[in-house]
Amino acid sequence: MNKYNFYAPCLFGLEKPLADELRDMGAENVTAENGRVLFSGDDDILARANICSRYAERIGIQVGSFDALSFAALFDCVKALPWEKYIGRKDAFPVKGWSLNSVLHSVPDCQSIIKKAIVNRLSEKYGITWFEESGATCRVSFSILKNRVSVCIDTSGEGLHKRGYRRDSNAAPIKETLAAAMVYFARIYNDSTVYDPFCGSGTILIEAAMAARNIAPGLRRSFAGESLPFIDSGAWQRARARAQDMIDNTVPFCAVGTDIDPAAVELTLHNAEKAGVAGCVKASVADVADFSVPTARGVVITNPPYGERMLELDEAERLYRVMGKVFTQRHGLRYAVISPDDRFEQLFGRPADKRRKLYNGSIRCQLYMYYR
């Protein structure tokens, strides 16, 4: 079976949960870096990581990694890599990527040079000068961070945050991978009751339910790697069968959402149905001012609305003050609130017991956790 080195980018702040889950899957040589986790494994690990990862944005086979300070160096280093192991004579190989804090900052130029270098290498190996690109699509991705270049074969296709249950969403939704990480940091269990008084499209509740029932997030979607001929097709079948066997729908977990918007409540219930967790997700219309936890124990995990314009900011700050009143301190209750507002604790009325810096896309946030 093939052995690979893998590259798994993630949102900043999610490196630890991603590294932990990859080790649990059986990945080897797991190393967490800023915004990514590197690991190694075979075809089974490749398929398993795509189907089961809650925190990775995608899984790439790392073809090579090197420093480049000039376009000539970029061309030479890319050309030296063994592209013929992955790309056939008729395969399509589009190139996409990004550059940050690097001398080679022009992404279109880097994209063009990497493409030319691959064509040059394959032309020499296959003895042809023209590529029809009518076969399987082998997506090449690159990242350049502080002049360090990583070049990969993408095996995910659409980002792994796209689980398949959220076709529609309300305004400013939280990314599924970030919601899953909030659940991880809040430490929910399979018998927990989770509450979200700003449930929106239900992402946090659904990710919590899927984690509690051990439902693999990618079980209901397809991946680019399934059409790559050098990957054992049986690996995807084995990974899906393994993930299916690990589901436990008997756990007493419960997720309860409320929102002031009836359309958001309807969307939460619709998405929970698509995710296969409708039986343990409830939602109803309610104002956060009326929020209370009726159970002896519970975990509140939420992403309250925030604004960028003055009126929206005023409303967000009013909500933080309301939350400070209704999120009562009581034995058995824990709270995890994500916010980009540096004044959250002041407005909420008490300092968090623990904070963790996270990113919702490009927005820097803090996860404020209260458990005392």
Side-chain angles (χ1 to χ4, degrees), residues 7-115:
Y7 171 99
C10 61
L11 294 173
F12 287 106
L14 273 59
E15 297 88 352
K16 183 184 186 307
L18 176 54
D20 286 348
E21 74 168 358
L22 288 169
R23 290 189 187 98
D24 289 342
M25 289 180 202
E28 301 171 352
N29 306 314
V30 178
T31 304
E33 299 181 353
N34 281 339
R36 66 181 184 177
V37 175
L38 307 179
F39 63 104
S40 59
D42 56 17
D43 291 336
D44 285 329
I45 292 297
L46 183 157
R48 194 177 299 170
N50 271 293
I51 291 169
C52 298
S53 179
R54 302 187 190 280
Y55 316 112
E57 291 302 309
R58 58 184 61 252
I59 305 296
I61 297 172
Q62 189 163 33
V63 183
S65 182
F66 50 85
D67 292 323
L69 298 176
S70 69
F71 289 129
L74 178 64
F75 181 93
D76 290 341
C77 290
V78 171
K79 183 183 174 183
L81 298 173
W83 295 102
E84 64 278 4
K85 287 174 57 178
Y86 310 103
I87 302 172
R89 293 169 178 266
K90 295 184 178 182
D91 293 347
F93 47 103
V95 178
K96 292 179 66 176
W98 54 268
S99 177
L100 184 64
N101 299 329
S102 300
V103 173
L104 304 180
H105 55 81
S106 171
V107 170
D109 286 338
C110 292
Q111 187 173 327
S112 176
I113 287 166
I114 289 171
K115 179 80 172 187

Side-chain angles (χ1 to χ4, degrees), residues 195-235:
Y195 298 87
D196 183 359
F198 302 98
C199 65
S201 57
T203 306
I204 292 173
L205 300 175
I206 292 167
E207 291 295 327
M210 292 175 72
R213 289 187 168 187
N214 207 23
I215 299 172
L219 200 51
R220 295 171 177 242
R221 55 161 285 178
S222 59
F223 304 91
E226 293 181 82
S227 63
L228 295 176
F230 61 86
I231 297 173
D232 175 16
S233 60

Side-chain angles (χ1 to χ4, degrees), residues 9 16 22 45 81 98 101 104 112 130-131 140 188-190 201 216-217 244 282 285 295 310:
K16 183 184 186 307
L22 288 169
I45 292 297
L81 298 173
W98 54 268
N101 299 329
L104 304 180
S112 176
W130 182 73
F131 293 86
V140 177
I188 68 133
Y189 304 99
N190 59 16
S201 57
Q244 193 67 47
K282 304 173 184 176
V285 178
T295 51
M310 187 57 69

Side-chain angles (χ1 to χ4, degrees), residues 113-290:
I113 287 166
I114 289 171
K115 179 80 172 187
K116 288 177 182 177
I118 297 172
V119 167
N120 196 285
R121 168 87 181 197
L122 295 179
S123 292
E124 292 179 2
K125 292 295 178 179
Y126 294 141
I128 56 177
T129 58
W130 182 73
F131 293 86
E132 60 184 73
E133 300 198 43
S134 61
T137 299
C138 187
R139 296 171 175 84
V140 177
S141 65
F142 68 89
S143 63
I144 309 177
L145 179 62
K146 296 180 179 178
N147 303 315
R148 186 69 181 173
V149 182
S150 291
V151 192
C152 301
I153 301 294
D154 175 41
T155 68
S156 300
E158 283 196 306
L160 295 181
H161 68 279
K162 295 187 177 181
R163 321 294 207 200
Y165 65 76
R166 196 173 75 179
R167 296 300 180 196
D168 309 293
S169 64
N170 60 343
I174 193 168
K175 210 168 188 179
E176 292 90 334
T177 43
L178 179 57
M182 291 172 64
V183 171
Y184 170 92
F185 291 123
R187 298 192 179 185
I188 68 133
Y189 304 99
N190 59 16
D191 62 348
S192 296
T193 302
V194 169
Y195 298 87
D196 183 359
F198 302 98
C199 65
S201 57
T203 306
I204 292 173
L205 300 175
I206 292 167
E207 291 295 327
M210 292 175 72
R213 289 187 168 187
N214 207 23
I215 299 172
L219 200 51
R220 295 171 177 242
R221 55 161 285 178
S222 59
F223 304 91
E226 293 181 82
S227 63
L228 295 176
F230 61 86
I231 297 173
D232 175 16
S233 60
W236 300 96
Q237 298 168 5
R238 291 190 292 273
R240 285 195 170 90
R242 175 183 177 274
Q244 193 67 47
D245 289 343
M246 294 176 71
I247 296 174
D248 186 356
N249 289 324
T250 67
V251 299
F253 175 84
C254 183
V256 181
T258 54
D259 200 288
I260 199 168
D261 181 4
V265 170
E266 183 179 349
L267 191 54
T268 291
L269 296 173
H270 175 66
N271 289 344
E273 181 74 33
K274 287 200 292 185
V277 294
C280 63
V281 174
K282 304 173 184 176
S284 60
V285 178
D287 192 305
V288 67
D290 301 319

